[in-house]
Amino acid sequence: MRVNVISDVHGNAEDLAAAGEGADALICLGDLVLFLDYHDHSRGIFPDLFGVRNAHRIVELRTARRFDQAREFGRRLWAELDVDRDTAIDQAVRRQYAALFAAFPTPTYATYGNVDIPSLWHEYAGPGTTVLDGQRVELGGLVFGFVGGGLRTPMRTPHEISDEEYAAKVEALGEVDVLCSHIPPDVPELTYDTVARRFERGSRALLDAIRRTRPRYALFGHVHQPLVRRMRVASTECVNVGHFAATGRPWALEW
């Protein structure tokens, strides 16, 4: 049995169409939407609406962790744009979701990332795509548990939830063989991004569950350039499956 695992697709529909090749199933750990590409500022919803020059500026502010200034800059841009903000974002996200969900192979098992909009997924997920969040599925004799979304940060991305809500979803899984999430467990080596030069938010609830229930694997993404991509916590192999938007390559789990 083999499953290919991806995360942080961020608009890469072209490579997504081939992500399931050679596998019995595809697992996607979220972040389908591309709001802004931090490496290519011409890509994403933000530059489509406001231009590359303004994309450069907001990346500059966020990278410097000047989040209040970044939000104020964004508010000014929206005030100058003669469209409703919610409508513009909804339309742009729908265009991306239509292309991305159409590219998913059958079967695909997916959960949300922190930049996704869960309320729209049911409109685009076809019969070959199973969406799981705080839920389990058995594949080839192994139990996979899924926890979607991210935790609250100054970035205020669309699908950030409270620590308590997130922990409740982890708890609902019980014991699993493979723990699948968008964000990593709260381990410094796994949460530090070497290019952004900052710690992303990891989950203490995930870390506690790993130590308590000892799944074979904990799979995640979210940190695009991690200090460490793979390490053991107790007997669990913790693996960042990679930044699919940049690499176009899945990580394979075989048993």
Side-chain angles (χ1 to χ4, degrees):
M1 181 78 179
R2 169 175 166 170
V3 296
N4 286 354
V5 189
I6 62 174
S7 184
D8 300 272
V9 177
H10 294 302
N12 188 353
E14 182 177 357
D15 289 321
L16 181 58
E21 290 182 358
D24 298 287
L26 178 71
I27 289 176
C28 179
L29 303 180
D31 270 11
L32 300 184
V33 172
L34 179 62
F35 280 97
L36 177 58
D37 189 324
Y38 277 59
H39 296 285
D40 181 353
H41 301 167
S42 68
R43 298 181 64 244
I45 295 171
F46 189 94
D48 286 349
L49 289 170
F50 302 113
V52 176
R53 182 176 180 180
N54 287 322
H56 286 325
R57 179 56 177 160
I58 203 159
V59 168
E60 180 182 56
L61 291 171
R62 289 178 176 177
T63 303
R65 302 185 67 80
R66 294 155 62 183
F67 297 115
D68 289 340
Q69 288 178 261
R71 281 192 288 273
E72 179 56 33
F73 180 64
R75 280 193 288 267
R76 291 202 306 271
L77 291 177
W78 280 108
E80 295 167 3
L81 198 66
D82 190 25
V83 297
D84 176 71
R85 174 175 180 156
D86 291 342
T87 300
I89 291 177
D90 181 80
Q91 291 174 346
V93 170
R94 286 177 179 276
R95 285 193 294 271
Q96 290 190 14
Y97 276 164
L100 291 161
F101 277 94
F104 275 141
T106 297
T108 292
Y109 301 89
T111 195
Y112 317 115
N114 61 293
V115 302
D116 286 312
I117 301 178
S119 61
L120 296 180
W121 277 38
H122 73 281
E123 297 184 35
Y124 296 95
T129 298
T130 303
V131 179
L132 299 154
D133 187 19
Q135 297 161 298
R136 302 149 49 109
V137 67
E138 184 177 332
L139 300 174
L142 296 184
V143 176
F144 289 70
F146 291 77
V147 185
L151 297 173
R152 289 175 181 159
T153 71
M155 297 286 282
R156 299 184 185 178
T157 52
H159 190 46
E160 295 180 353
I161 61 177
S162 70
D163 289 58
E164 294 76 16
E165 184 179 353
Y166 196 92
K169 293 194 293 186
V170 175
E171 182 68 23
L173 296 179
E175 294 187 9
V176 298
D177 298 300
V178 185
L179 179 57
C180 300
S181 58
H182 177 67
I183 63 174
D186 189 17
V187 177
E189 294 91 336
L190 299 175
T191 59
Y192 187 73
D193 190 306
T194 60
V195 174
R197 296 184 180 181
R198 65 170 181 259
F199 290 97
E200 302 290 352
R201 281 214 66 189
S203 167
R204 173 61 59 173
L206 286 173
L207 180 59
D208 290 345
I210 289 167
R211 288 172 170 164
R212 184 177 68 254
T213 66
R214 296 176 180 261
R216 296 188 192 184
Y217 291 92
L219 309 179
F220 50 87
H222 186 57
V223 183
H224 293 178
Q225 297 88 199
L227 180 65
V228 173
R229 292 194 176 276
R230 185 168 184 158
M231 66 180 290
R232 282 193 175 272
V233 173
S235 61
T236 300
E237 191 75 12
C238 298
V239 183
N240 184 319
V241 301
H243 180 202
F244 186 78
T247 69
R249 296 189 303 273
W251 181 84
L253 176 62
E254 296 185 78
W255 68 99

